[in-house]
Amino acid sequence: MFHKVKNVIALKNCFLPVSFVEGISKIYDVKPLFKKWDVFNNL
């Protein structure tokens, strides 16, 4: 099941604060994705 995203802000330190429609907010560190998938290196 996927949750609907209400808002995302890209920060310079590769963190993404994400707010979901359900009222939940989380902060994701996307730096590990650069090592896992090459496509993220373009960012």
Side-chain angles (χ1 to χ4, degrees), residues 7 10-13 16 20-21 23 25 27 32 34 37 41-42:
N7 188 36
L11 302 177
K12 289 183 180 182
N13 59 1
L16 292 177
F20 297 94
V21 173
S25 295
I27 298 176
F34 298 132
W37 290 299
N41 291 325
N42 293 328

Side-chain angles (χ1 to χ4, degrees), residues 10-43:
L11 302 177
K12 289 183 180 182
N13 59 1
C14 297
F15 285 98
L16 292 177
V18 180
S19 299
F20 297 94
V21 173
E22 297 90 353
I24 299 169
S25 295
K26 294 189 176 194
I27 298 176
Y28 294 94
D29 180 2
V30 297
K31 288 187 291 287
L33 296 176
F34 298 132
K35 293 179 184 176
K36 189 171 184 177
W37 290 299
D38 290 335
V39 69
F40 283 96
N41 291 325
N42 293 328
L43 301 175

